[in-house]
Amino acid sequence: MDRAAEISAFLRSRRARLSPTELGAPFDGRVRRVPGLRREEVARLAGMSPDYYMRIEQGRGGAVSLEIIDSIALALRLDTVERNHLLNLCGTPTPHHTPGLEPQRVRPGLYDLLAVMESVPAIILGRRTDVLASNRLARALMTDFQALPAPHRNYARFILLDPKARELYQDWEQVSEQTTAMLHLDVGRFPDDRQLAELIRDLREGCPEFTRFWDNQNVHEKDQGEIRFNHPSGGEFVLHYQTLLVPGEADQSVCTYYGAPGSSSEAALARLAGLTTSSPTPA
């Protein structure tokens, strides 16, 4: 990945979404050719020289201190996820940053956990949204990741490239944009990940909407939320999801899906579980 290009694109996109008037900036009489804040306005809000901010935005700022990152984050009104993404892009890693790119393995106890979660779809996500493991109900809900070639066992690849996903997710564009934003986080964390670069290339070539999603420069952590499904066997229902980090395992998380207690969605998921009989196995 071109780190300088990523820094530039991200900061320009964050500038463009802000209105000078909402930040209380006085009108200077000049016609604005592009939306949002100018570089010198960001520099003034962040308490630094315009030249220094310009070098940072162009990826020429060298080692950027945490204090400078925080000043820019405050000026651009970045949330916590966006701030940490900027830290990673500028080479100032967050406490959870892990530079190694060794192959990821799922410990046996997590496979046992998936095995006993018979009524809850669950997947274990790794770097670049690789699906490291899945239980039987998750495969019935989404796709049989185990049946795919190992390089294709990837959540983003399924969402954006599998035609079935467009039918499965009622709000496919929203899910796809959030998934793309998850990949943006990994670009900051792992700029030298060749497999991530290849995945992004494949998504650009295979999904007409991906470039638009990518150019938005949004970042997102898959933490919690809800998704509306239109399942070929289970019909329409809404599932909530919760994502839990795996202690002691860098860049691994368990993502679970469930219907609200007592809801028709919970009943639909139970019916789908009744249609599945195979045992949970590694993805």
Side-chain angles (χ1 to χ4, degrees):
M1 296 294 171
D2 186 335
R3 187 187 293 272
E6 290 295 328
I7 294 172
S8 178
F10 179 66
L11 287 177
R12 282 189 286 107
S13 72
R14 301 306 91 169
R15 280 197 292 117
R17 72 179 181 179
L18 292 176
S19 166
T21 54
E22 69 180 344
L23 296 180
F27 178 63
D28 58 11
R30 291 188 292 169
V31 176
R32 293 181 179 268
R33 297 181 179 178
V34 295
L37 297 179
R38 298 188 178 97
R39 286 172 177 163
E40 59 266 27
E41 291 170 330
V42 177
R44 184 172 63 251
L45 290 169
M48 64 186 67
S49 72
D51 179 68
Y52 183 44
Y53 175 76
M54 181 176 67
R55 285 190 284 117
I56 291 175
E57 187 173 296
Q58 292 176 344
R60 301 185 293 111
V64 183
S65 70
L66 180 61
E67 291 75 17
I68 292 296
I69 293 293
D70 281 340
S71 295
I72 295 174
L74 183 62
L76 293 176
R77 297 188 174 182
L78 304 185
D79 62 24
T80 300
V81 177
E82 292 171 326
R83 170 190 174 274
N84 290 340
H85 181 56
L86 181 60
L87 281 170
N88 287 323
L89 287 177
C90 291
T92 312
T94 63
H96 298 294
H97 182 93
T98 53
L101 290 177
E102 63 278 358
Q104 292 183 285
R105 299 286 184 265
V106 175
R107 60 185 185 229
L110 289 177
Y111 287 127
D112 293 340
L113 177 63
L114 294 188
V116 299
M117 298 173 69
E118 296 183 351
S119 61
V120 177
I123 59 177
I124 298 178
L125 291 176
R127 291 189 297 267
R128 73 188 78 88
T129 74
D130 283 348
V131 179
L132 305 178
S134 58
N135 67 4
R136 62 181 179 85
L137 193 48
R139 296 194 294 274
L141 175 65
M142 291 177 278
T143 193
D144 189 349
F145 292 105
Q146 180 189 352
L148 300 173
H152 289 184
R153 297 171 192 171
N154 180 275
Y155 181 77
R157 187 179 291 274
F158 164 64
I159 297 292
L160 289 152
L161 296 185
D162 193 325
K164 293 182 296 185
R166 292 179 182 260
E167 301 297 326
L168 178 64
Y169 295 94
Q170 294 187 48
D171 304 302
W172 178 85
E173 282 235 356
Q174 177 183 339
V175 174
S176 297
E177 286 190 89
Q178 290 181 344
T179 304
T180 301
M182 290 163 58
L183 292 179
H184 255 303
L185 279 183
D186 275 357
V187 166
R189 292 168 177 158
F190 311 106
D192 300 321
D193 186 348
R194 180 177 298 179
Q195 289 178 274
L196 177 58
E198 292 173 351
L199 172 62
I200 293 171
R201 179 203 63 200
D202 291 347
L203 296 178
R204 285 188 184 276
E205 294 176 353
C207 178
E209 297 89 347
F210 177 76
T211 297
R212 170 165 56 87
F213 299 151
W214 186 261
D215 289 346
N216 288 336
Q217 290 291 318
N218 292 328
V219 289
H220 175 72
E221 285 186 333
K222 189 176 179 65
D223 46 12
Q224 61 182 339
E226 65 177 39
I227 298 177
R228 299 194 305 156
F229 289 88
N230 183 18
H231 196 275
S233 300
E236 295 186 3
F237 50 84
V238 178
L239 296 184
H240 301 272
Y241 65 86
Q242 295 284 342
T243 304
L244 309 173
L245 296 178
V246 179
E249 299 291 344
D251 308 301
Q252 290 189 25
S253 58
V254 180
C255 185
T256 60
Y257 299 80
Y258 63 96
S263 68
S264 59
S265 295
E266 181 185 49
L269 191 59
R271 290 193 297 272
L272 182 61
L275 299 175
T276 64
T277 56
S278 60
S279 301
T281 54

